[in-house]
Amino acid sequence: MTTVIDPAADAALKARHAAMWALGDYPKVARQLISGLGAELVAATRIGPGDRVLDVAAGPGNAAIPAALAGADVVASDLTPELVASGRAAAERAGAQLDWRVADAEALPFGGAEFDAVISCVGVMFAPFHERSAAEISRVTRPGGRLGLISWTPEGFIGQMFAVMKPYAAEPPPGATPPPLWGREEHVADLFGETFDDLTMERRTVAETFAGASGFRDFFKANYGPTIATYRFVGDDPERVAALDAALDALAAEHSDASGRMEWEYLLVTATRR
């Protein structure tokens, strides 16, 4: 079944998404919590000199900058202008040369078969219509080119955090798919199985440590756009705010050891364009 897209409604939705990711300080989240994932993705996708690479939903450049430092010709694209600006500044500090573009993952402004590798590190999973962004990734990857993705799993901590926040958040747009499904093997196979071969999927974890459950909650309330947006949605209801506080604290406590250390699960995907 083909979904009919209303251009005006789609533009308004994307404007809201871009504004959400500009809330707080996502570059701080990426820098302090998941800085190593980008280099891991670049290595898994075998990116190096001579490769033309697209990072979709690149954020502040966690994967795009390591790809450029590995010698690739990199385009870093993201829906949120503030993240593009932050990534450009980070690349300059790192001495990396990249082409930065404000772009929608569901309507990439690039030609077909333009890239040797297309990657996304916990980025494209947040585009609301998964089939559209997957089709765009397939379109711009050349035959024989590589795909590399890192996505949070539904069963892992971040996937569970979104499940906890869902009752307190605004309703998603009609037809949207939950972001953590990009971390489920069957879903990825459905999205890319007809256009990519050699689909390899491996669940891994990254360790994070906070000063107790409230330390996690306070950090995300201050810095992570989706969490900030959820609190704003219930901000005029003190009881719901308190209930959300308690739910996030309980989730963090469940996933933490005595030292406040957590293991966050993600799915690493690599494949070759048919």
Side-chain angles (χ1 to χ4, degrees), residues 50-196:
D51 285 328
R52 179 158 170 78
V53 176
L54 174 64
D55 187 353
V56 180
N62 268 33
I65 293 172
L69 293 175
D73 174 15
V74 180
V75 178
S77 66
D78 198 274
L79 185 66
T80 302
E82 291 86 347
L83 294 183
V84 168
S86 176
R88 185 178 288 115
E92 291 176 359
R93 292 192 298 270
Q97 298 293 319
L98 291 84
D99 180 7
W100 290 89
R101 306 275 189 93
V102 175
D104 180 358
E106 297 174 358
L108 293 169
F110 308 108
E114 187 172 334
F115 296 94
D116 301 301
V118 179
I119 59 176
S120 188
C121 184
V122 297
V124 72
M125 65 179 290
F126 293 102
F129 304 108
H130 296 188
E131 291 79 7
R132 289 168 60 184
S133 51
E136 283 293 272
I137 287 172
S138 297
R139 181 183 66 81
V140 302
T141 308
R142 69 163 177 81
R146 287 100 66 204
L147 171 69
L149 303 169
I150 285 179
S151 305
W152 302 119
T153 67
E155 299 81 7
F157 179 78
I158 296 297
Q160 289 298 298
M161 182 189 74
F162 277 94
V164 164
M165 293 194 303
K166 183 178 179 180
Y168 304 91
E171 285 293 319
T177 309
L181 282 184
W182 279 81
R184 182 163 288 165
E185 292 86 349
E186 297 86 350
H187 188 64
V188 175
D190 286 343
L191 291 174
F192 293 107
E194 294 185 1
T195 52
F196 283 83

Side-chain angles (χ1 to χ4, degrees), residues 17-31 33-34 59-60 83 121-127 151-152 157-163 165 179-180 210 215-232 244 248 264:
H17 272 240
M20 178 185 71
W21 286 104
L23 296 173
D25 190 349
Y26 184 70
K28 181 178 180 179
V29 175
R31 184 174 62 251
L33 301 182
I34 57 171
L83 294 183
C121 184
V122 297
V124 72
M125 65 179 290
F126 293 102
S151 305
W152 302 119
F157 179 78
I158 296 297
Q160 289 298 298
M161 182 189 74
F162 277 94
M165 293 194 303
F210 293 91
F216 152 77
R217 184 235 305 157
D218 290 344
F219 183 85
F220 270 66
K221 282 177 73 170
N223 297 295
Y224 192 60
T227 305
I228 296 169
T230 301
Y231 271 98
R232 287 188 178 182
L244 178 55
L248 288 174
W264 294 0

